[in-house]
Amino acid sequence: MIKVSKLIHDYIQRDEDGNPSGTIRAIDDVSLDVKPGQFIAILGHNGSGKSTLAKHLNALLFPTEGAVWINGLDTRDQQYLWEIRQTAGMVFQNPDNQIIGQVVEEDVGFGPENMGVPTEEIWERVEESLKAVGMYEYRKKSPNRLSGGQKQRVSIAGVIAMHPRCIVMDEPTAMLDPSGRADVIRAALTLNKGEGITIILITHYMEEAIQADRIFVMDRGRIAMQGSPREIFSRVEEMQELHLDVPQVTLLAHTLRSRGVDIPEGILTSEELARAICPDAK
Ligand SMILES: Nc1ncnc2c1ncn2[C@@H]1O[C@H](COP(=O)(O)OP(=O)(O)O)[C@@H](O)[C@H]1O
Ligand SMILES: [Mg+2]
């Protein structure tokens, strides 16, 4: 689905007069592969290069060196631009910047309309997309009246309506309250497990990465760690060195273990911890 090979991205810095004064290397030799249908989480502290990488997956940025292929299409090849952006949809942090329609269903219809989808089919797509994110009842409402989490689900519906094979979400829950966050993650998981849509989720919330098939941890433009959630979250000290947390229950298990309690590393849920501490309990 996605192949990134030895990607380097330099931003050009400019002085007050707009003249180039230097470069910032935001992505420094990143290679990764994502298979169709995978749920990938990308973690990393601020400035580690996550958003820059995300923009490469949607051909919003182009490699300084190296290459990116989306469904086999090279992002450096201008003739594939439209097809790439249709294949890999993008959801950003702030839902207010992504919603343009006055009515929810209208907003969701914009994407397919721009693609030239016949009117009849647009309505089918709007219905199916709003249902997929649990927002169908709100189709006649004004987006202004929705909560942050509801707006973000409408933006996701707008992306789904374009029938992408992959959705890149760049901190889609950063501006939401806990219940809005949970709804958005649930919608992402449903699309992934139900429709087989590949999901790339960039997040600050470790709990949201627990259900990923694979996690990439970024640091200073590089991939510092990669593995399953259990593998990554077992490496508590390394994560802390990268200024990242692990899920609370993982940290608790790790602390208990370091004090001599006989439980495994990489505990991800409170149920697992309970079972590890007292295996006989129901
Ligand atoms: N448009 C830009 N121009 C110059 N530097 C940028 C630009 N966008 C990001 N950067 C720099 O690139 C690095 C990576 O940024 P970014 O990809 O936004 O990281 P993250 O999303 O992990 O916070 C940072 O040092 C940031 O300051
Ligand atoms: Mg970012």
Side-chain angles (χ1 to χ4, degrees):
M1 186 72 241
I2 295 172
K3 185 172 179 63
V4 176
S5 173
K6 299 185 175 153
L7 179 66
I8 290 180
H9 188 90
D10 290 338
Y11 286 108
I12 296 169
Q13 285 174 299
R14 294 182 185 276
D15 60 21
E16 300 93 81
D17 303 324
N19 298 315
S21 60
T23 56
I24 300 179
R25 183 147 294 186
I27 300 288
D28 186 8
D29 195 21
V30 163
S31 297
L32 58 87
D33 283 292
V34 177
K35 297 192 183 77
Q38 277 192 316
F39 192 116
I40 303 289
I42 300 182
L43 307 175
H45 59 79
N46 274 335
S48 58
K50 305 181 299 296
S51 293
T52 304
L53 178 61
K55 287 175 189 156
H56 276 275
L57 305 182
N58 195 26
L60 292 172
L61 289 175
F62 305 101
T64 304
E65 285 176 42
V68 177
W69 289 270
I70 305 300
N71 201 21
L73 306 175
D74 189 332
T75 64
R76 292 170 301 185
D77 197 335
Q78 290 289 322
Q79 63 170 318
Y80 299 136
L81 209 61
W82 180 237
E83 207 177 330
I84 287 170
R85 293 195 182 147
Q86 217 166 295
T87 305
M90 186 102 181
V91 176
F92 297 93
Q93 196 175 95
N94 188 344
D96 289 324
N97 298 341
Q98 299 171 77
I99 292 183
I100 40 178
Q102 301 295 313
V103 180
V104 164
E105 60 183 2
E106 204 176 88
D107 185 84
V108 176
F110 274 135
E113 192 176 356
N114 279 334
M115 286 164 57
V117 173
T119 312
E120 191 78 340
E121 195 188 328
I122 294 176
W123 290 113
E124 283 168 24
R125 288 192 185 196
V126 167
E127 180 176 336
E128 107 207 332
S129 308
L130 282 170
K131 283 181 176 164
V133 298
M135 287 298 292
Y136 186 62
E137 299 147 61
Y138 296 86
R139 65 192 178 281
K140 301 287 184 197
K141 294 253 188 305
S142 159
N144 296 326
R145 307 185 68 103
L146 304 177
S147 72
Q150 292 171 329
K151 282 186 200 168
Q152 196 60 296
R153 283 187 284 150
V154 171
S155 337
I156 295 172
V159 172
I160 310 169
M162 293 187 273
H163 286 183
R165 301 197 41 199
C166 169
I167 305 181
V168 182
M169 304 186 176
D170 190 358
E171 302 197 31
T173 59
M175 304 182 77
L176 309 181
D177 61 19
S179 92
R181 287 209 308 264
D183 287 341
V184 166
I185 296 304
R186 201 172 307 123
L189 279 166
T190 306
L191 293 172
N192 177 252
K193 306 292 175 242
E195 317 280 331
I197 297 178
T198 308
I199 303 275
I200 314 287
L201 172 70
I202 297 173
T203 182
H204 260 112
Y205 296 101
M206 301 302 134
E207 273 76 11
E208 297 178 357
I210 289 175
Q211 307 200 57
D213 296 312
R214 195 165 183 78
I215 295 179
F216 293 99
V217 182
M218 293 195 66
D219 181 52
R220 283 172 290 173
R222 289 171 165 266
I223 292 180
M225 297 166 73
Q226 58 178 299
S228 68
R230 202 175 296 285
E231 283 160 2
I232 295 293
F233 293 135
S234 298
R235 295 155 70 180
V236 178
E237 276 88 14
E238 273 174 88
M239 287 291 276
Q240 287 170 341
E241 276 162 27
L242 297 174
H243 308 288
L244 294 170
D245 299 322
V246 297
Q248 265 179 0
V249 53
T250 310
L251 184 60
L252 175 58
H254 178 76
T255 309
L256 288 171
R257 196 179 135 89
S258 68
R259 306 249 174 108
V261 181
D262 180 22
I263 47 178
E265 280 289 7
I267 295 247
L268 295 176
T269 64
S270 41
E271 290 75 23
E272 274 178 30
L273 180 57
R275 246 179 285 126
I277 294 174
C278 67
D280 302 328
K282 294 240 165 79

